[in-house]
């Protein structure tokens, strides 16, 4: 009975809000008709008119790029491990051992992915020119985020430093990097870095891309962390000093944990933006997810099927970004619970 009454009250509230007068009623009906027509036409195109052969016949390319077919189980294993870990993080058992070591497990996926992709002990070596698709996109995002976060934290602390030279240098770097377009930084990483290296020394183009993304994103992360640091009351620092904590202990146990918790929504936006910005690498020769789509459209068999390809790519990007957002929201909730318990 309570559920029925709640439903009735909900619909009464909707009626009161959307159909309170003649103007609201007309606008509401027009919007409903417009949304209905759009949805009907979209579903009709998806089901009856679109030719999804360009997607179905090229699914391995979207996932793994030109990775050797007999070795595709390696990137597939890594992607499945990331999905499994995401599920365990969100809905896994509340085992103390698992929850305590979850961060270490997440960090461990990076060397696992590099070992599986590069090869090595027990695996045949595969050069990075064969990497591509969703695998390369995720690798660029994960590695760049992993290196950008500590670098951004150091930059934020340096900008808050009492030493003028350190504060000025970090400010110049952050402001300068934020004033440069990302594509220019990526061009620097791919085309100019090899010119500055000694003869005979080469850096893999994937690592050059990770290096460029790290330099760029860390400047934005530094500002997010700095905002979190500025929101911490000075009374907490004074209390830590009264307890006998030194400067490094205050940073480790008081400032950084709270700044990360406060800046987590902004850091999530940076991670999602980084995942989307990896599509710029298609301009510079790395065949990531968008690059695979462009190479498929260059095939005479699929010329003109732009809508199907880009709708599929949009769905893939949306799915991965949604997973990242849900994981960040779950982490934020757990951090708030831990703070409340504390």
């Amino acid at each position: 009975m309570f559920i029925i009454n709640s439903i009735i009250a909900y619909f009464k509230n909707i009626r009161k809000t959307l159909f309170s007068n003649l103007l609201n009623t007309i606008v509401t009906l027009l919007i409903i008709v417009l949304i209905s027509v759009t949805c009907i036409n979209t579903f009709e195109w998806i089901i009856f008119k679109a030719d999804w052969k360009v997607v179905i016949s090229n699914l391995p390319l979207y996932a793994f790029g030109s990775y050797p077919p007999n070795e595709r189980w390696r990137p597939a294993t890594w992607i499945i491990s990331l999905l499994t870990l995401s599920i365990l993080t969100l809905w896994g058992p509340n085992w103390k051992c698992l929850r305590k070591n979850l961060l270490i497990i997440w960090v461990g996926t990076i060397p696992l992915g590099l070992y599986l992709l590069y090869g090595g002990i027990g695996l045949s070596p595969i050069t990075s020119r064969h990497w591509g698709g969703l695998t390369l996109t995720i690798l660029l995002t994960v590695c760049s985020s992993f290196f950008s976060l500590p670098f951004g934290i150091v930059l934020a602390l340096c900008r808050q430093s009492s030493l003028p030279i350190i504060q000025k240098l970090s400010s110049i770097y952050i402001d300068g990097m934020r004033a440069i377009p990302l594509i220019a930084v990526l061009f620097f990483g791919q085309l100019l870095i090899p010119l500055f290296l000694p003869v005979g020394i080469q850096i893999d183009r994937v690592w050059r891309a990770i290096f460029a993304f790290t330099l760029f994103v860390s400047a934005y992360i530094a500002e997010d962390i700095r905002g979190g640091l500025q929101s911490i009351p000075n009374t907490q620092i004074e209390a830590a000093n009264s307890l006998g904590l030194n400067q490094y202990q205050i940073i480790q146990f008081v400032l950084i944990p709270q700044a990360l918790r406060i800046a987590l929504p902004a850091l999530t936006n940076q991670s999602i933006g980084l995942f989307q910005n990896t599509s710029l690498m298609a301009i510079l020769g790395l065949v990531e997810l968008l690059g695979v789509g462009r190479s498929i459209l260059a095939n005479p068999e699929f010329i003109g099927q732009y809508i199907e390809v880009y709708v599929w790519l949009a769905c893939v990007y949306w799915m991965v970004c949604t997973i990242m957002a849900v994981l960040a929201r779950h982490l934020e909730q757990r951090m708030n619970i831990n703070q409340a318990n504390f």
Side-chain angles (χ1 to χ4, degrees):
M1 190 65 182
F2 173 76
I3 298 177
I4 296 176
N5 291 334
S6 299
I7 295 174
I8 293 174
Y10 175 74
F11 280 106
K12 285 183 177 179
N13 185 42
I14 291 179
R15 180 180 178 183
K16 184 179 179 181
T17 303
L18 301 180
F19 302 95
S20 58
N21 54 52
L22 180 60
L23 179 61
N24 283 347
T25 302
I26 294 174
V27 172
T28 301
L29 291 176
L30 286 176
I31 293 175
I32 291 174
V33 170
L34 180 62
I35 293 175
S36 300
V37 171
T38 303
C39 292
I40 291 172
N41 290 335
T42 301
F43 284 119
E44 181 183 3
W45 177 82
I46 291 174
I47 296 174
F48 299 108
K49 296 182 179 180
D51 183 8
W52 295 109
K53 181 182 177 182
V54 64
V55 173
I56 297 174
S57 60
N58 294 295
L59 283 178
L61 284 177
Y62 286 113
F64 314 119
S66 59
Y67 211 83
N70 58 331
E71 299 289 343
R72 283 176 179 167
W73 63 269
R74 288 155 57 174
T77 301
W78 186 54
I79 293 177
I80 292 173
S81 67
L82 291 175
L83 287 175
T84 304
L85 191 54
S86 300
I87 295 173
L88 288 176
T89 302
L90 295 173
W91 302 291
N94 197 20
W95 296 338
K96 185 177 180 180
C97 180
L98 176 63
R99 296 298 171 182
K100 186 177 180 181
N101 298 306
L102 204 53
L103 178 60
I104 299 175
I105 298 174
W106 272 107
V107 173
T109 59
I110 297 177
L112 174 64
L114 294 175
Y115 167 69
L116 289 174
L117 293 176
Y118 271 114
I121 303 174
L123 297 176
S124 58
I126 305 293
T127 58
S128 62
R129 65 187 181 88
H130 296 291
W131 303 0
L134 182 62
T135 303
L136 180 58
T137 299
I138 294 177
L139 181 71
L140 291 173
T141 304
V142 171
C143 292
S144 301
S145 300
F146 177 75
F147 293 117
S148 298
L149 181 59
F151 190 26
I153 292 174
V154 171
L155 286 173
L157 293 174
C158 289
R159 194 159 189 176
Q160 298 286 95
S161 174
S162 58
L163 299 176
I165 183 64
I166 294 179
Q167 182 184 11
K168 289 297 181 182
L169 289 176
S170 60
S171 299
I172 291 172
Y173 174 82
I174 293 171
D175 295 336
M177 193 59 66
R178 294 170 67 197
I180 301 174
L182 175 57
I183 189 63
V185 180
L186 295 177
F187 267 111
F188 168 78
Q190 291 296 308
L191 304 178
L192 297 182
I193 286 181
L195 300 179
F196 294 99
L197 295 176
V199 178
I201 297 179
Q202 294 183 350
I203 299 178
D204 189 281
R205 60 178 184 166
V206 172
W207 286 106
R208 295 202 299 267
I210 292 172
F211 177 74
F213 277 120
T214 300
L215 292 179
F216 185 82
V217 176
S218 60
Y220 289 85
I221 290 178
E223 286 299 279
D224 296 334
I225 299 295
R226 188 169 69 92
L229 292 172
Q230 290 179 337
S231 65
I232 300 174
N234 288 329
T235 53
Q236 295 197 21
I237 301 176
E238 294 172 359
N241 285 323
S242 66
L243 292 174
L245 299 180
N246 58 40
Q247 187 65 28
Y248 297 103
Q249 289 174 327
I250 293 174
I251 292 174
Q252 180 180 358
F253 298 113
V254 178
L255 297 181
I256 296 302
Q258 295 189 76
L260 288 175
R261 181 180 59 83
I262 295 169
L264 184 58
L267 295 177
T268 304
N269 287 339
Q270 296 295 344
S271 299
I272 293 175
L274 175 60
F275 177 79
Q276 296 170 347
N277 287 333
T278 56
S279 58
L280 293 174
M281 295 308 302
I283 305 174
L284 301 175
L286 284 180
V287 190
E288 42 66 65
L289 189 57
L290 181 63
V292 169
R294 294 176 55 169
S295 64
I296 290 173
L297 288 173
N299 188 336
E301 183 181 355
F302 304 114
I303 287 179
Q305 295 184 270
Y306 297 97
I307 299 179
E308 289 87 348
V309 169
Y310 287 117
V311 166
W312 163 249
L313 292 178
C315 291
V316 174
Y317 276 104
W318 173 83
M319 180 184 65
V320 178
C321 291
T322 301
I323 293 174
M324 295 170 66
V326 171
L327 287 171
R329 195 176 302 119
H330 176 78
L331 177 60
E332 185 177 1
Q333 292 173 353
R334 290 192 64 87
M335 293 176 73
N336 290 334
I337 292 174
N338 293 335
Q339 184 193 29
N341 293 335
F342 180 75

